[in-house]
Amino acid sequence: MSSVASLHNVIKRYVRGKQTIEVLHQLDLEVPSGQFLALMGPSGSGKTTLLNLIGGLDRPTAGEVIVAGERIDQLSSGQLAKWRARHVGFVFQFYNLMPMLSAERNIELPLLLTSLSSAQRKRNVAAALELVGLTTHAKHKPSELSGGQQQRVAIARALIADPTLLVCDEPTGDLDRASASDILGLIQTLNRQQGKAVIMVTHDQKAADYASRILHVDKGQLVEAADRSAATAA
Amino acid sequence: MSVLRQISAVVGMNLRNLPQRRGASLVIVIGIAGVVAVLLSVLAMAVGFSRTIAGAGSPDRALILSGGALQEAMSSVPSDAVPNITAAPGIARDSAGRPIVDAEVVAQVQVTHGDTGKPTNVALRGVGSEEFALRPEVHLVAGRLFRPGLHELIVGQSLKTRYGLDIGSHLSFQNGDWVVVGVFTSNGPDLLDSEILTDSQTLLSAYQRNWFQSVTVRLAGPGSFDQLKRALAADPTLHVDVYVESAFRAAQSRILNLILKWIGYFIGGMMAAGALFGALNSLYAAVSSRSLEIATLRAIGFGSGSVIVSVLAEALLLSIGGALIGALCAWIFFDGHVSSMMVSGLEPPIAFAMSVTPGLIVLGIVWACVIGLIGGLFPAIRAARLPVARALNAVV
């Protein structure tokens, strides 16, 4: 099976004042296409840093990062922005919706970076709204939606441009248990039915249980928890 | 195409966000409105003054001063020189065939300001019978013309307004009592509107002078000026300089006009620096408050160019808004407002109407846009360079 993400000897250091902190130490990772990977670990372990590297939001200090078939650690800032638009859908803990835009306008945002016509964009937005069960809330602003509904809008926005990879940073961290389970079910369905690769950072073991693979990030190293593909596929 | 869509989407979002940043936005708008209002009001003085001085001169008239005199006040043309000047070629003639020439004498008299009670020097100009043929723009609006040999005066419209010199008012000078018998205007505030006119011979007699300050002639046609100048230069009994009246007035106003412009640009520049810092602060704050929004857009794939354009568009929009408010204030409060100014060599204070012209409004908008662009540029660069990962994680 081909890899959606391959990291080799990745080192990430941050300089804070006179101090240099190495967050990731010569890390290697292979994420096969279509996998739902959960990254767990305590605060400061480097899991979000790792997610940012895979999502093209940050660059490694050393090592190779190949995602969606492209060596992204060598791309310029502008190239990286275009690459992200093509290949990555982001879901954030606090949804990060544009407060002044309606649900459908928020979802449409990534399509503004494509050459699709207005009519095509409208059709795609309607389909994405239907997929996340929010057809009747298309005109609602984020402030008029519950947390769970806002995260559904964020998921629709992440999916609308048909990315290769869905990157989720604590997607249920701000939701109650019922909404969280709802959202995780939706992400799992997308992974299974559309074969969309998902990489999710979470603190929550119950959330991680929805993934087909769990990795623990500990002191800048990866520790395989278990291959759950057989179990979750059942 | 997608670049334009990106830009319009980000700009649209930014502008829709403005009401949430009303206070900071108002700082920019009010600051720039102040800059533009002050700049335009000072420059409106310069424009009005320049027009007034220029309006007092005509390209159809020539002004003759004694040789070397740079101003009318410094000139003395002897009485016996006037017939030679009158006989020179190039001078237009009236219906009776008389040359249209007026030898004028200027003195200063004190009048008391109607409101403040303070005495002010005002020009008293003695003119001859050809004055109204020479300056057809001058006409009586009330009362009658002064009569030769009597201590009678007519006053300019702006003097009547400012000093309450109405018909029947009395002025005392040169051991005589003079009475105002008429009010004249020259179609709007200009140099003459700030003066008092009387009969030149009566004035010469009162001041016991036998020389005039200047001689003004109406030119017969194109090319007449050179003809007149050559003839006067060739006359060995005359030592005079000849000017086209409009060019002479324009030259007189040039230095003051320049000073007024410098004052305008200096004060405007100082205020612009203040407004610039206000805009910088407000836009830095705006970028800071929108950092999550900007980082999210960048994460989705929006380019830094669209972010820069959005911040600059906000700065420009607010600046143009400020400029229009400032220009409107300047126009409402100052356009057409009659002011007066003391000018060396052109005493008394010259009344003129301030003029906020379309050109000045465009200048104000250009200033505002420059302030907006400089004020927006650095925050825009900061927004574009915002480290996406750090901005996103700062909230988590």
Side-chain angles (χ1 to χ4, degrees):
Chain A
M1 188 182 277
S2 65
S3 290
V4 70
S6 303
L7 284 77
H8 304 294
N9 288 321
V10 166
I11 297 171
K12 181 65 185 176
R13 294 190 195 103
Y14 289 111
V15 179
R16 283 194 189 138
K18 288 178 181 172
Q19 250 191 331
T20 301
I21 303 160
E22 190 163 300
V23 183
L24 301 176
H25 320 294
Q26 291 197 305
L27 187 140
D28 291 305
L29 173 66
E30 290 290 332
V31 183
S33 297
Q35 188 169 67
F36 184 172
L37 169 67
L39 293 171
M40 297 191 73
S43 292
S45 59
K47 56 188 187 301
T48 296
T49 300
L50 178 57
L51 193 72
N52 287 341
L53 292 179
I54 296 169
L57 295 175
D58 205 353
R59 287 194 186 84
T61 309
E64 274 182 25
V65 181
I66 301 164
V67 184
E70 214 156 336
R71 177 96 189 258
I72 63 170
D73 56 284
Q74 293 180 333
L75 297 181
S76 70
S77 176
Q79 289 170 324
L80 213 46
K82 283 182 187 160
W83 175 85
R84 285 196 300 268
R86 270 203 319 275
H87 293 293
V88 190
F90 291 94
V91 180
F92 303 100
Q93 180 178 357
F94 296 106
Y95 334 124
N96 294 19
L97 299 176
M98 302 298 140
M100 75 298 295
L101 298 184
S102 65
E104 61 182 1
R105 289 281 179 205
N106 265 290
I107 295 168
E108 191 191 13
L109 279 174
L111 295 185
L112 298 176
L113 304 169
T114 68
S115 56
L116 291 182
S117 69
S118 171
Q120 285 171 314
R121 294 202 302 271
K122 262 188 186 160
R123 274 200 298 276
N124 289 9
V125 169
L129 277 165
E130 196 178 338
L131 184 72
V132 296
L134 284 176
T135 304
T136 54
H137 294 72
K139 305 284 180 199
H140 290 217
K141 297 250 173 87
S143 58
E144 297 160 351
L145 299 170
S146 70
Q149 287 171 328
Q150 288 186 59
Q151 197 60 297
R152 282 170 175 272
V153 173
I155 291 170
R157 182 181 68 185
L159 287 169
I160 189 82
D162 193 24
T164 314
L165 175 67
L166 208 56
V167 167
C168 310
D169 192 359
E170 302 276 9
T172 57
D174 196 44
L175 298 176
D176 59 61
R177 180 52 62 194
S179 301
S181 147
D182 197 27
I183 290 297
L184 288 163
L186 178 62
I187 293 172
Q188 192 178 51
T189 305
L190 291 170
N191 168 250
R192 288 182 180 175
Q193 291 183 356
Q194 298 189 6
K196 204 65 76 188
V198 179
I199 302 179
M200 174 177 76
V201 159
T202 181
H203 277 100
D204 182 2
Q205 183 60 53
K206 283 187 179 160
D209 287 342
Y210 283 81
S212 52
R213 182 185 177 194
I214 300 174
L215 283 173
H216 285 274
V217 186
D218 191 18
K219 292 173 186 164
Q221 297 285 358
L222 285 173
V223 181
E224 194 88 39
D227 188 343
R228 304 166 49 81
S229 50
T232 51
Chain B
M1 186 63 190
S2 84
V3 174
L4 286 179
R5 267 206 309 249
Q6 259 189 72
I7 290 172
S8 73
V10 183
V11 169
M13 268 184 273
N14 203 6
L15 298 185
R16 268 184 257 189
N17 238 335
L18 273 179
Q20 291 169 20
R21 293 178 273 119
R22 203 174 291 131
S25 304
L26 274 178
V27 168
I28 300 175
V29 172
I30 292 170
I32 288 177
V35 172
V36 171
V38 170
L39 178 74
L40 294 198
S41 58
V42 179
L43 293 182
M45 287 174 79
V47 170
F49 181 79
S50 188
R51 277 186 181 173
T52 300
I53 298 291
S58 163
D60 301 332
R61 291 192 289 257
L63 180 72
I64 298 150
L65 301 180
S66 58
L70 298 174
Q71 298 165 356
E72 202 178 6
M74 294 161 65
S75 167
S76 60
V77 180
S79 300
D80 54 12
V82 175
N84 285 16
I85 294 171
T86 306
I91 299 174
R93 291 177 181 272
D94 64 14
S95 52
R98 288 179 304 229
I100 303 174
V101 175
D102 194 26
E104 297 180 355
V105 55
V106 182
Q108 282 194 2
V109 293
Q110 276 198 337
V111 297
T112 307
H113 196 285
D115 294 331
T116 63
K118 286 183 182 169
T120 308
N121 286 333
V122 170
L124 170 63
R125 184 177 293 271
V127 297
S129 56
E130 291 295 327
E131 171 68 8
F132 293 91
L134 184 68
R135 293 194 175 89
E137 70 272 20
V138 177
H139 55 272
L140 282 172
V141 289
R144 60 172 174 81
L145 198 60
F146 50 79
R147 287 174 294 188
L150 296 178
H151 285 188
E152 290 182 346
L153 310 165
I154 60 171
V155 298
Q157 180 78 47
S158 71
L159 278 185
K160 182 202 164 204
T161 311
R162 294 176 69 81
Y163 300 104
L165 286 176
D166 213 340
I167 294 168
S169 300
H170 287 260
L171 290 175
S172 291
F173 53 89
Q174 293 301 112
N175 299 320
D177 182 54
W178 298 69
V179 63
V180 176
V181 295
V183 179
F184 71 91
T185 185
S186 49
N187 294 331
D190 82 2
L191 210 51
L192 271 180
D193 264 16
S194 305
E195 295 186 349
I196 299 172
L197 302 185
T198 189
D199 174 60
S200 56
Q201 292 301 330
T202 312
L203 193 60
L204 281 178
S205 167
Y207 278 84
Q208 295 178 337
R209 283 188 199 168
N210 61 354
W211 45 270
F212 295 90
Q213 244 81 36
S214 61
V215 179
T216 306
V217 306
R218 175 166 288 280
L219 294 166
S224 299
F225 175 75
D226 291 334
Q227 192 184 9
L228 174 69
K229 193 174 179 178
R230 273 196 304 272
L232 296 182
D235 186 337
T237 65
L238 295 175
H239 179 51
V240 292
D241 291 329
V242 190
Y243 305 94
V244 174
E245 191 188 42
S246 55
F248 180 79
R249 299 296 183 203
Q252 276 189 309
S253 70
R254 197 167 295 134
I255 292 175
L256 188 84
N257 204 17
L258 201 66
I259 291 170
L260 280 174
K261 279 185 178 168
W262 273 107
I263 291 171
Y265 290 131
F266 179 74
I267 297 174
M270 297 291 277
M271 290 185 70
L276 184 64
F277 283 110
L280 272 171
N281 263 337
S282 301
L283 290 167
Y284 270 131
V287 166
S288 179
S289 72
R290 292 180 55 228
S291 59
L292 179 63
E293 204 179 284
I294 292 168
T296 304
L297 289 171
R298 299 289 316 281
I300 288 172
F302 281 78
S304 52
S306 55
V307 173
I308 289 178
V309 171
S310 77
V311 177
L312 289 180
E314 175 180 341
L316 277 180
L317 185 82
L318 295 175
S319 303
I320 291 171
L324 293 177
I325 292 171
L328 187 68
C329 289
W331 185 73
I332 288 172
F333 294 112
F334 299 113
D335 189 55
H337 174 81
V338 177
S339 186
S340 68
M341 194 177 294
M342 286 287 292
V343 188
S344 168
L346 285 175
E347 288 184 54
I350 293 162
F352 58 92
M354 294 168 73
S355 179
V356 180
T357 61
L360 284 186
I361 292 173
V362 170
L363 180 75
I365 292 172
V366 169
W367 267 59
C369 288
V370 170
I371 295 169
L373 280 178
I374 297 172
L377 187 64
F378 296 102
I381 290 171
R382 176 184 281 189
R385 286 185 177 167
L386 197 70
V388 180
R390 202 186 309 162
L392 288 170
N393 295 335
V395 181
V396 181

